[in-house]
Amino acid sequence: MDHSIPLSLYLLLSLPLSLLLFFLLHSSRPRGLRLPPGSLGLPLIGETLQLISAYKSENPEPFIDNRVARFGPLFTTHVFGEPTVFSAEPDTNRFILQNEGKLFESSYPSSILNLVGRHSLLVMKGSLHRRMHSLTMSFANFAIIRDHLLGDLDRLVCRNFDGWTDRVLLMDEAKKITFELTVKQLMSLDPCEWTENLRKEYMLLIEGFFTIPSPLFSTTYRRAIHARRKVEEALRRVVRERRRESERGERKKDMLEALLEEEGRGGGRFSDEEIVDFLLALLVAGYETTSTTMTLAVKFLTETPLALAQLKEEHDEIRVKKGELEALEWNDYKSMPFTQCVVNETLRLGSIISGVFRRAMTDVDVKGYTIPKGWKVFASLRAVHLDHDNFKDARSFDPWRWQTNSGSTNSLNFFTPFGGGPRRCPGAELARGLSSQYSFTTFVTRFSWVPAEEDKLVFFPTTRTQKRYPIIVQRRESIEKPTAKNAAEKLAPEKRHRHGTLLPWRSEGFRVGSNARRGQHVHHSAS
């Protein structure tokens, strides 16, 4: 996180207010309630700086790993200006997600809310949220994907891939493809200079999601707010033009048209501001999830040669049947079982959505503790995915675990890459199935590649590679029909796994820190 003034000066200037808020907070802390163990950290800023600095390491869950080892899988902390209970326990996460609107409600840090807008799907509640969630899902269902998006995706992917020569930054290229597809799906706009300029502003906007929400103290947040204004104005111009088109009787089959026709609160039409916020948040969601999944899948496969060989064979067999130039159809993608295993494992290990924030609507009893009314909770999806109690060798890439479900007798119960409950990501099938699978299926069949240089994963503010994953690409020659099964298929699952590449997170120190087991922790009361 960048600071426009030194951190020491920031703390000095905020000290009087910090002390006042600190004493108010501690004097108003719930009495007589058994809070989850933990620490509230420093006045005002709590443990926010520890959280941000921790996630700039290669360890995917350093902040949570450390506190789970000390306090257990349910602990109290203070981040982004509020006391927050973190959960790294699957049953508690499921309880939180399933009780949306009953015991918990959506509540995100102000740094996020200020950037996505107060009318985004992220903060909608009640019947309006249910209606708009359903509307969003209707534009990402199987029929829409099969009948409309497949053709758009094929054109966009081929258009971008045709320009690839020698060295490319895969993460940048993947983000460009998914952003162009999302803009097309939402507003029927083809790629052009306008869409590329909009994408560059989005990159700045997203960087501000988890910073101190003050333009005075964070240059990152100041840039994000400025980018937000530019994105808002660009989208507002599109909305105004589409309203004029609608008045002339011109209609398009996209999300914007549905929003123009949908009734908002009170029965009237949505305002321009409401539509802009809604579109802005959907663009953020579509931009990050799919592109990151594609990039991480390629990175993980590159580091696990046997998995890459088996994936190539699966794709090549289908490509030989279809012919070099014939576009793949919906049924072709449904007949790629190992590819889906790779997607699942990438979603689990990468955990692009690290977790979800909620706020307790009343005092909530969980696992012998009480979460006070008004407190935030964070259900960590990533912590569950990377827990060795839930998945065997949880921090290594093993797509074969999804063929036999051998990683755990109950793995699917722990696998929640898109959240759950009424707020489960409405574009989950699009991101999980078509976009990720299609993009890297086309990539694998067209190119061979090697990493241009070593690159590492970082997990803050979003999951990404540090150098945007630079690779050297070379177009593959015509695909010949395979004559024998790949050697990987002849290996037993445990032997295949033994040949797989362990990710760089698996250092000795990290393994020790992440292997703490529930019930073996020294509990301390929250302070």
Side-chain angles (χ1 to χ4, degrees), residues 225-242:
I225 287 293
H226 182 65
R228 208 272 181 201
R229 294 193 189 104
K230 294 175 74 171
V231 169
E232 179 182 358
E233 183 54 37
L235 294 179
R236 194 181 297 274
R237 287 196 294 269
V238 174
V239 172
R240 288 170 181 166
E241 177 59 30
R242 287 289 295 273

Side-chain angles (χ1 to χ4, degrees), residues 91-156:
D91 289 340
T92 302
N93 286 359
R94 192 176 304 112
F95 175 76
I96 292 169
L97 295 172
Q98 294 298 332
N99 280 283
E100 165 74 28
K102 303 172 185 175
L103 301 177
F104 301 95
E105 61 183 5
S106 178
S107 181
Y108 283 80
S110 58
S111 56
I112 295 179
L113 299 183
N114 293 341
L115 294 172
V116 299
R118 59 194 181 96
H119 302 294
S120 70
L121 188 63
L122 193 67
V123 295
M124 285 183 179
K125 299 174 183 177
S127 61
L128 180 62
H129 172 264
R130 289 191 293 272
R131 184 155 53 88
M132 299 309 295
H133 187 274
S134 177
L135 176 66
T136 306
M137 288 185 65
S138 71
F139 280 85
N141 60 35
F142 290 119
I144 292 290
I145 293 172
R146 183 189 62 231
D147 300 336
H148 300 287
L149 293 185
L150 197 59
D152 289 336
L153 184 58
D154 183 65
R155 286 188 292 273
L156 288 173

Side-chain angles (χ1 to χ4, degrees), residues 30 45 60 73 321 351-352 416 419 477 479 511:
I45 60 175
K321 294 176 184 177
S351 292
I352 293 92
T416 54
E477 300 297 327
I479 300 169
R511 188 159 64 244

Side-chain angles (χ1 to χ4, degrees), residues 200-422:
K200 291 177 180 178
E201 297 301 330
Y202 259 90
M203 294 171 63
L204 297 175
L205 186 153
I206 292 170
E207 286 295 323
F209 272 10
F210 293 100
T211 59
I212 295 176
S214 169
L216 176 63
F217 299 123
S218 172
T219 56
T220 300
Y221 192 72
R222 184 163 64 246
R223 286 196 300 265
I225 287 293
H226 182 65
R228 208 272 181 201
R229 294 193 189 104
K230 294 175 74 171
V231 169
E232 179 182 358
E233 183 54 37
L235 294 179
R236 194 181 297 274
R237 287 196 294 269
V238 174
V239 172
R240 288 170 181 166
E241 177 59 30
R242 287 289 295 273
R243 284 197 190 277
R244 288 191 287 268
E245 291 178 3
S246 294
E247 291 170 359
R248 296 194 298 266
E250 301 175 18
R251 296 286 189 273
K252 291 184 173 72
K253 295 181 179 180
D254 58 20
M255 175 62 78
L256 178 52
E257 191 66 39
L259 292 172
L260 291 171
E261 296 176 354
E262 188 75 16
E263 289 186 355
R265 293 183 180 88
R269 300 297 183 191
F270 283 118
S271 67
D272 288 0
E273 179 186 359
E274 290 172 320
I275 293 177
V276 166
D277 282 358
F278 196 85
L279 292 175
L280 189 150
L282 290 182
L283 276 169
V284 170
Y287 179 66
E288 280 295 315
T289 308
T290 304
S291 58
T292 304
T293 301
M294 175 190 171
T295 305
L296 295 188
V298 172
K299 176 175 170 59
F300 294 159
L301 287 167
T302 304
E303 295 167 352
T304 315
L306 285 176
L308 178 58
Q310 186 169 338
L311 184 86
K312 282 184 175 180
E313 182 177 23
E314 181 172 86
H315 293 176
D316 288 352
E317 286 179 345
I318 293 175
R319 176 50 66 193
V320 167
K321 294 176 184 177
K322 299 291 291 187
E324 288 290 325
L325 300 178
E326 187 177 353
L328 298 182
E329 299 175 348
W330 179 253
N331 288 335
D332 297 321
Y333 295 102
K334 300 294 286 183
S335 60
M336 297 180 181
F338 187 69
T339 301
Q340 192 56 60
C341 291
V342 170
V343 172
N344 282 347
E345 183 68 350
T346 302
L347 289 170
R348 183 196 68 82
L349 192 57
S351 292
I352 293 92
I353 300 175
S354 62
V356 297
F357 281 99
R358 297 290 185 265
R359 187 184 298 280
M361 300 169 65
T362 184
D363 289 351
V364 181
D365 294 329
V366 178
K367 301 287 183 178
Y369 301 110
T370 298
I371 302 174
K373 177 181 179 180
W375 277 35
K376 268 197 171 68
V377 296
F378 182 76
S380 177
L381 310 179
R382 181 188 291 149
V384 172
H385 291 162
L386 300 183
D387 190 331
H388 297 288
D389 285 346
N390 304 327
F391 296 92
K392 182 180 178 181
D393 293 325
R395 303 197 179 195
S396 63
F397 181 73
D398 178 14
W400 294 280
R401 76 171 79 241
W402 299 99
Q403 288 183 325
T404 61
N405 201 25
S406 59
S408 169
T409 58
N410 226 2
S411 292
L412 291 178
N413 290 333
F414 304 130
F415 185 54
T416 54
F418 297 101

Side-chain angles (χ1 to χ4, degrees), residues 19-192:
L19 292 175
L20 175 62
L21 292 176
F22 180 76
F23 288 121
L24 288 175
L25 173 66
H26 279 255
S27 64
S28 61
R29 288 185 66 194
R31 304 286 184 181
L33 298 181
R34 187 168 185 253
L35 301 176
S39 171
L40 295 177
L42 296 172
L44 186 63
I45 60 175
E47 296 188 304
T48 303
L49 297 181
Q50 292 99 311
L51 182 147
I52 292 175
S53 62
Y55 281 107
K56 291 188 176 181
S57 70
E58 288 185 72
N59 184 337
E61 279 298 351
F63 184 82
I64 292 180
D65 283 346
N66 176 272
R67 283 152 184 80
V68 167
R70 293 170 59 195
F71 307 121
L74 194 67
F75 62 87
T76 296
T77 182
H78 189 286
V79 292
F80 303 112
E82 296 190 66
T84 305
V85 173
F86 271 58
S87 167
E89 204 275 329
D91 289 340
T92 302
N93 286 359
R94 192 176 304 112
F95 175 76
I96 292 169
L97 295 172
Q98 294 298 332
N99 280 283
E100 165 74 28
K102 303 172 185 175
L103 301 177
F104 301 95
E105 61 183 5
S106 178
S107 181
Y108 283 80
S110 58
S111 56
I112 295 179
L113 299 183
N114 293 341
L115 294 172
V116 299
R118 59 194 181 96
H119 302 294
S120 70
L121 188 63
L122 193 67
V123 295
M124 285 183 179
K125 299 174 183 177
S127 61
L128 180 62
H129 172 264
R130 289 191 293 272
R131 184 155 53 88
M132 299 309 295
H133 187 274
S134 177
L135 176 66
T136 306
M137 288 185 65
S138 71
F139 280 85
N141 60 35
F142 290 119
I144 292 290
I145 293 172
R146 183 189 62 231
D147 300 336
H148 300 287
L149 293 185
L150 197 59
D152 289 336
L153 184 58
D154 183 65
R155 286 188 292 273
L156 288 173
V157 169
C158 291
R159 173 181 176 273
N160 282 276
F161 281 4
D162 286 344
W164 287 16
T165 57
D166 198 26
R167 179 185 170 109
V168 298
L169 297 174
L170 185 60
M171 179 155 279
D172 283 1
E173 296 296 331
K175 286 180 180 292
K176 184 178 179 181
I177 292 170
T178 54
F179 189 80
E180 290 174 351
L181 177 66
T182 307
V183 169
K184 179 71 173 178
Q185 183 186 10
L186 295 180
M187 298 176 285
S188 299
L189 294 174
D190 291 317
C192 59

